Amino acid sequence: MADVQRSVSRELDRIAPVIDDLGRRFSDAGHELALVGGPVRDAMLGRQHNDLDFTTSARPEQTERLLQGWADAIWDMGRAFGTIGCRRGEWQVEITTYRSEAYDPTSRKPDVDFGDSLAGDLGRRDFTVNAMAVTVPGRQLEDPYGGIVDLAHQVLRTPGRPEDSFSDDPLRMMRAARFAAQLGFTVAPEVVDAMRAMAGRIEIISAERVRDELVKLVTAPYPRRGLALLVDTGLADLVLPELPALKLERDEHHRHKDVYEHTLTVLEQAIDLEPRLPGGGPDFVARFAALMHDVGKPRTRRFVDDGTVTFHHHDVVGAKMTRKRMKALRFSNDDIDAVGKLVELHLRFHGYGTGEWTDSAVRRYVRDAGDQLERLHVLTRADSTTRNKRKADRLQRTYDDLEARIAQLREQEELHSIRPDLDGNQIMEILGIGPGREVGAAYQFLLDLRMDNGPMSEDDARSALLAWWAGRVS
């Protein structure tokens, strides 16, 4: 407990320029103000925040007036929910009026009622570790629901009955999984039971809110914990059904590995490889591609007469399924295209053998991967989960060789920007034609030639183009 108090005191001293000044401003106007939720929890965990959440007895219009002259910028996009945001220097601040919110069984949006006490406001929060507050400027800790004890035991529990909490806001069920992934905490058994019993309530939540929680979960330090909880409670059946579907019924001779466990292992191995990526991670696209790379297997599994099990074209089928799921979750087109491309290409390397690819095949690998090449490197390496160390080492050495060849060709030929040796204007001038399909066909011919043979001189490209054209028109 002493360590917790020291951590909180250090963090409160660090953010004193905001909390003390703002607290006096509200107190002088006759209003209560308290730092609340994540910043208080993380202060106890020794983590720093520059995004500060407050709760107040003041109504939104009163909060806005009190911030004028103090904040560098003010915004009110959350006014309907009682929230006014602002920025002061390096600090981002959100101040929300005491409230209680509940969902109508058929509505996707909460009905918001303003409350009149800090204790009441804390009681409607998702978990006890987020239901602690520090009043300002007095710096009095308020913990009516035992958040400090639960924090010490690393357990997620609701302030009241979990059934009531999840009925009020079903998204809290996904938040339980997300916080398990972010904090590495255990979810209390009664909370898990309520999630299992009430999983169907998640269907009233908008796809966008579900997506945002899923992104936070996948990019958390321990995503396997959160994903396993979604699967175990049945929530994944509703928000990401492709994941529990990977729990294939094992054939009696266990001729294929557990695809679900394999997938979670690939995800963890992809996370370990994130330092290879620009920015070093967490990288949602790479992680989600690892999570989805084998989702086509259940639909493509076949038992062959000789006793083997096949999953032919599961890469192509899986890419289509991935795009469909991400579209339903309202992901951006850029994210959908990136993840879909990685899933579709994740098996391509296995045609490399022990280095039999021609330079042409290497060029096509790079071109098809495009701006996802580095993530494809990560996914392909992570997809090796064999327990046979000799086989695993051989796969890694082979991929090392492929990367070395890519680097060599890239240095020689600027692989990242492969184009035909003649552009569209030159094609039209040489062939004496105007814009149209013929120009596109000629461009593709020259691009294929460039892939097969590497760079050509303009004269050689011209001769090849004319020969190709003569064959078409003859």
Side-chain angles (χ1 to χ4, degrees):
M1 183 64 71
D3 289 342
V4 169
Q5 290 174 337
R6 282 193 293 271
S7 293
V8 173
S9 294
R10 281 195 299 269
E11 178 65 0
L12 294 180
D13 287 342
R14 188 184 72 89
I15 62 178
V18 174
I19 63 173
D20 291 347
D21 193 17
L22 202 55
R24 282 190 294 269
R25 203 171 179 93
F26 275 71
S27 178
D28 290 347
H31 300 295
E32 298 172 359
L33 184 71
L35 187 70
V36 71
V40 178
R41 178 199 68 221
D42 286 350
M44 294 181 179
L45 294 172
R47 302 175 181 176
Q48 295 184 347
H49 263 274
N50 276 14
D51 294 347
L52 305 178
D53 295 326
F54 293 86
T55 187
T56 181
S57 60
R59 294 298 190 258
E61 62 275 9
Q62 295 169 322
T63 295
E64 189 171 22
R65 283 198 298 270
L66 287 168
L67 291 176
Q68 289 171 357
W70 181 84
D72 299 328
I74 300 173
W75 52 89
D76 67 349
M77 287 87 75
R79 180 184 291 274
F81 300 99
T83 301
I84 302 295
C86 72
R87 176 181 55 80
R88 180 179 168 95
E90 61 182 322
W91 312 98
Q92 296 277 100
V93 173
E94 286 194 349
I95 303 175
T96 302
T97 301
Y98 295 155
R99 64 184 185 183
S100 61
E101 65 183 36
Y103 274 74
D104 180 275
T106 61
S107 173
R108 289 175 180 258
K109 296 183 178 180
D111 296 322
V112 177
D113 292 321
F114 294 140
D116 56 8
S117 73
L118 176 58
D121 181 85
L122 295 178
R124 57 148 293 276
R125 294 183 177 266
D126 49 12
F127 303 105
T128 59
V129 296
N130 294 328
M132 298 180 286
V134 175
T135 59
V136 291
R139 299 193 183 184
Q140 177 68 41
L141 175 65
E142 300 290 338
D143 180 25
Y145 301 101
I148 293 179
V149 174
D150 287 341
L151 198 68
H153 291 123
Q154 298 189 335
V155 64
L156 289 172
R157 200 183 310 276
T158 55
R161 289 188 347 118
E163 293 83 0
D164 295 336
S165 180
F166 297 154
S167 180
D168 284 348
D169 185 352
L171 191 66
R172 290 173 177 170
M173 293 185 287
M174 286 204 65
R175 284 199 197 121
R178 189 246 292 183
F179 282 123
Q182 285 183 332
L183 302 172
F185 284 11
T186 299
V187 180
E190 70 274 13
V191 176
V192 175
D193 289 344
M195 292 169 68
R196 193 172 285 122
M198 302 180 66
R201 284 278 286 162
I202 199 66
E203 293 184 307
I204 72 168
I205 302 297
S206 69
E208 291 83 357
R209 295 185 74 207
V210 170
R211 174 203 64 207
D212 291 348
E213 285 298 322
L214 191 59
V215 169
K216 291 173 184 176
L217 189 162
V218 170
T219 54
Y222 314 102
R224 186 173 191 145
R225 284 179 177 246
L227 292 166
L229 184 60
L230 291 182
V231 171
D232 292 345
T233 58
L235 279 163
D237 291 323
L238 301 169
V239 300
L240 194 65
E242 294 79 8
L243 183 59
L246 293 175
K247 287 192 169 188
L248 297 174
E249 181 180 346
R250 303 296 296 275
D251 65 283
E252 58 179 334
H253 300 294
H254 297 271
R255 296 188 186 93
H256 64 86
K257 66 181 70 176
D258 185 322
V259 183
Y260 172 73
E261 290 297 327
H262 163 75
T263 293
L264 295 182
T265 300
V266 172
L267 170 61
E268 291 181 323
Q269 293 185 169
I271 292 171
D272 290 340
L273 291 168
E274 281 180 336
R276 296 171 55 99
L277 298 173
D283 189 285
F284 172 75
V285 168
R287 293 188 184 195
F288 203 62
L291 191 63
M292 303 294 284
H293 79 284
D294 273 349
V295 296
K297 280 191 170 180
R299 293 189 183 180
T300 58
R301 183 170 67 158
R302 300 290 183 271
F303 295 98
V304 186
D305 291 340
D306 64 4
T308 58
V309 181
T310 67
F311 302 96
H312 292 315
H313 307 301
H314 79 266
D315 46 347
V316 176
V317 172
K320 291 179 180 178
M321 293 171 63
T322 297
R323 291 186 173 101
K324 183 177 180 181
R325 176 56 51 200
M326 293 184 73
K327 185 176 181 180
L329 288 169
R330 305 289 193 271
F331 278 95
S332 70
N333 288 335
D334 286 345
D335 282 347
I336 294 172
D337 290 344
V339 176
K341 178 183 289 187
L342 290 168
V343 173
E344 189 167 355
L345 294 177
H346 82 273
L347 288 182
R348 180 75 66 86
F349 160 71
H350 294 284
Y352 188 71
T354 56
E356 290 86 355
W357 275 3
T358 62
D359 285 352
S360 171
V362 174
R363 292 186 192 100
R364 291 180 186 279
Y365 186 78
V366 173
R367 181 172 178 83
D368 289 348
D371 59 2
Q372 299 305 313
L373 181 62
E374 296 304 319
R375 287 179 173 131
L376 184 58
H377 290 335
V378 165
L379 176 58
T380 304
R381 289 182 180 274
D383 195 23
S384 172
T385 61
T386 177
R387 295 179 182 176
N388 184 323
K389 188 175 188 303
R390 183 177 298 177
K391 181 179 179 182
D393 289 344
R394 184 175 70 249
L395 285 169
Q396 295 303 327
R397 285 196 304 271
T398 305
Y399 206 84
D400 288 342
D401 178 71
L402 174 58
E403 285 202 61
R405 289 185 63 189
I406 290 171
Q408 184 179 18
L409 285 171
R410 177 180 280 156
E411 183 177 349
Q412 295 170 352
E413 304 178 16
E414 298 183 1
L415 280 186
H416 64 282
S417 56
I418 289 181
R419 296 181 179 84
D421 297 288
L422 300 172
D423 63 25
N425 290 328
Q426 290 172 303
I427 290 171
M428 289 188 288
E429 181 180 346
I430 292 169
L431 300 182
I433 60 176
R437 291 182 180 178
E438 292 87 354
V439 178
Y443 187 93
Q444 186 61 49
F445 163 75
L446 289 172
L447 180 58
D448 291 339
L449 200 62
R450 169 74 169 80
M451 287 287 189
D452 291 338
N453 301 328
M456 301 173 65
S457 69
E458 186 173 326
D459 287 344
D460 287 345
R462 178 189 181 93
S463 297
L465 175 63
L466 288 171
W468 171 82
W469 183 250
R472 278 177 58 97
V473 299
S474 61

